[in-house]
Amino acid sequence: MSKRAFFGTDGIRGEANTHPMTAEVALRVGLAAGRLFRSREERRHMVVIGKDTRLSGYMVEPALVAGFTSAGMDVRLLGPMPTPGVAMMTRSLRADLGVMISASHNPWTDNGVKLFGPDGYKLSDARELEIEALMGQSLSEDLAPATALGRAARVDDSQARYVEIAKATFPRRLSLSGLRIVIDCANGAAYKVAPAALYELGAEVIPVGVAPNGMNINEECGSTHPEAMIKAVKDYRADIGIALDGDADRLVICDEKGRVVDGDQIMALIADSWARRNRLAGGGVVATVMSNLGLERFLGARNLRLERTAVGDRYVMARMREGGFNLGGESSGHIILSDFSTTGDGLLAALQVLAVLKAGDRPMSALARQFEPAPQKLENVRFTSGRPLEADGVKAAIADAEQKLGAAGRVLVRASGTEPLIRVMAEGDDEALVSQVVREIVGAVRKAAA
């Protein structure tokens, strides 16, 4: 695959007002994507744009609008909207393209751009490379004539539409009446829609992280800081806590005792429930190389398989489409329910967990631990230059770790697609050995990066 200049594993992302997250790059994205998706048909072409609550959204959004309209595409602005909501609205409005302005779980000083095709799925690597090629051309190249410029307008009911779509995924025979639910929206994209959907389904809702000011997204709240959710669950004696990230495409959950439930346990819970009702398609679940061995063993005991992909929910989605699966995700909490959505959706995943909770007579604490995780250790090493993974010392440390763990464990060392980090992960049945091999590899990476 060709070297990428702008796009990473999940769109373009970086510090706001610093390359590549500048107004100029956003303008180029709009021009390039607009040209690529503007067919030769004699009709109006349209792009929908949603965003989270970051201050820099006020810079990125108008730059994208300028690019798209100058390429001759009409623009529909959704305002604050979860990433999966943008994917849904792209299809619902029969748009040619969808754009989400967000850096997901990153700090508020970062921002990013994710693109969706007319089918609501994230663009392929090949499509992103086509856009990159066009971005390198002159800004005055192939502009629409003055008589064919695009128009921009806001979609006033976009949030209400998403709430109705989300509610429709919850079983009709059930209600959330009687449940006290903490929902932490990370001061992000779902700060209005998630509490509204839960309330309208009958729950007593305790909202957290619903006062965005442009600079507090993900700040000591949301799925990356579950402490806020846990405290609220304990303070209000809630039945369950749900924490979303900044663009609401992932979640973590905690039970009524404040114990956190990660994405692997959530996938296990939904898979078991769906399999019992003959609703699980594909004969198993699609997850990434980061998912715990315990999930694989849990599924295997039920004659279900776990298929692994590279890290990134779009790779999970691609395998799901290929293999006919309807459940997949990541241990970080990206859960994809393809019966309902084309990408990870924290709220929809939470609603499926709530359906299991409501249908039974057991508390969340009895459902939270579907399997015993294999001991796993993950450590991140930040680097500023060079290619640490190509160093002989790092390769030797990885080979030694694999030999020590043998068939009862595994090692995964990879570069992050969104940050200058090397992620070192190992798991196996011997916790002390797992910790040891991670320490040794991390030491080798640090030495190579020095």
Side-chain angles (χ1 to χ4, degrees):
M1 188 171 66
S2 302
K3 174 69 175 173
R4 292 157 162 265
F6 295 100
F7 288 91
T9 56
D10 198 17
I12 302 172
R13 191 179 299 186
E15 185 177 354
N17 229 17
T18 302
H19 187 82
M21 276 315 303
T22 62
E24 181 191 342
V25 170
L27 175 66
R28 289 183 180 275
V29 170
L31 278 166
R35 289 168 57 192
L36 187 63
F37 282 82
R38 186 187 66 204
S39 72
R40 300 302 174 192
E41 298 173 41
E42 289 298 320
R43 64 175 177 85
R44 302 299 297 181
H45 297 278
M46 184 170 68
V47 56
V48 300
I49 301 178
K51 61 181 180 178
D52 64 21
T53 57
R54 294 164 204 270
L55 178 64
S56 55
Y58 291 109
M59 171 193 74
V60 178
E61 184 183 64
L64 284 167
V65 171
F68 282 117
T69 54
S70 64
M73 291 190 81
D74 291 335
V75 179
R76 295 293 177 265
L77 299 169
L78 307 179
M81 172 68 69
T83 289
V86 173
M88 291 173 183
M89 292 295 285
T90 301
R91 291 195 299 176
S92 176
L93 294 174
R94 297 177 62 190
D96 298 280
L97 189 66
V99 183
M100 178 63 181
I101 304 168
S102 175
S104 190
H105 56 279
N106 284 30
W108 73 272
T109 48
D110 289 352
N111 216 330
V113 173
K114 304 178 190 182
L115 303 177
F116 297 90
D119 55 3
Y121 291 98
K122 290 182 179 179
L123 296 187
S124 65
D125 291 336
R127 272 302 210 190
E128 289 180 345
L129 285 170
E130 286 184 76
I131 292 172
E132 286 203 354
L134 291 172
M135 286 171 65
Q137 296 182 6
S138 167
L139 290 174
S140 60
E141 190 89 17
D142 197 24
L143 297 179
T147 55
L149 289 172
R151 298 172 181 267
R154 298 214 167 262
V155 182
D156 294 329
D157 66 344
S158 59
Q159 294 181 341
R161 286 193 188 204
Y162 175 71
V163 168
E164 289 304 316
I165 292 170
K167 285 163 55 182
T169 68
F170 191 71
R172 287 178 178 239
R173 71 185 189 280
L174 298 176
S175 162
L176 294 179
S177 177
L179 283 184
R180 181 177 293 177
I181 301 172
V182 168
I183 176 71
D184 182 347
C185 299
N187 291 315
Y191 79 101
K192 287 185 178 179
V193 295
L198 295 173
Y199 175 79
E200 290 176 21
L201 286 168
E204 179 184 346
V205 180
I206 299 151
V208 176
V210 291
N213 62 15
M215 298 177 286
N216 61 359
I217 188 171
N218 300 314
E219 185 178 83
E220 297 183 1
C221 60
S223 62
T224 51
H225 299 280
E227 301 81 15
M229 166 187 66
I230 293 168
K231 183 178 186 303
V233 165
K234 291 179 177 179
D235 287 350
Y236 291 95
R237 291 179 294 175
D239 297 294
I240 187 173
I242 301 161
L244 307 173
D245 68 339
D247 67 336
D249 65 352
R250 75 177 189 176
L251 83 163
V252 298
I253 284 172
C254 76
D255 64 20
E256 78 279 4
K257 298 177 181 178
R259 293 182 299 198
V260 170
V261 185
D262 71 3
D264 285 346
Q265 298 285 356
I266 294 169
M267 283 189 282
L269 177 63
I270 297 173
D272 185 57
S273 170
W274 283 13
R276 289 175 189 274
R277 292 184 286 137
N278 295 317
R279 192 177 160 191
L280 187 68
V285 175
V286 179
T288 75
V289 290
M290 298 300 291
S291 278
N292 194 276
L293 273 172
L295 174 60
E296 193 169 334
R297 293 167 178 169
F298 171 87
L299 294 171
R302 287 153 179 78
N303 295 317
L304 301 170
R305 69 184 189 274
L306 178 69
E307 294 211 6
R308 295 182 184 270
T309 72
V311 173
D313 65 336
R314 67 174 173 161
Y315 300 117
V316 173
M317 185 73 248
R319 181 66 196 113
M320 289 172 67
R321 296 177 76 183
E322 290 169 7
F325 297 86
N326 63 351
L327 173 60
E330 300 185 273
S331 53
S332 60
H334 283 115
I335 310 296
I336 303 173
L337 310 169
S338 63
D339 290 347
F340 309 128
S341 182
T342 55
T343 187
D345 191 317
L347 178 58
L348 299 197
L351 289 174
Q352 290 304 307
V353 172
L354 290 168
V356 178
L357 178 62
K358 191 64 182 176
D361 57 358
R362 295 186 296 165
M364 190 62 211
S365 56
L367 302 172
R369 205 170 181 85
Q370 292 287 304
F371 63 86
E372 193 63 35
Q376 184 184 84
K377 187 170 179 63
L378 171 66
E379 195 164 333
N380 296 323
V381 184
R382 191 168 291 274
F383 68 101
T384 54
S385 62
R387 299 175 181 271
L389 294 186
E390 296 179 8
D392 290 339
V394 174
K395 292 178 180 177
I398 294 171
D400 183 57
E402 290 173 338
Q403 189 272 326
K404 286 176 179 174
L405 289 173
R410 63 192 185 100
V411 177
L412 180 68
V413 183
R414 66 180 187 90
S416 167
T418 57
E419 300 175 85
L421 298 174
I422 301 296
R423 304 195 191 279
V424 180
M425 188 274 282
E427 63 181 355
D429 293 325
D430 185 336
E431 188 169 3
L433 180 58
V434 167
S435 296
Q436 177 193 329
V437 299
V438 168
R439 279 198 309 274
E440 291 170 353
I441 296 172
V442 165
V445 171
R446 284 184 174 143
K447 185 177 179 181

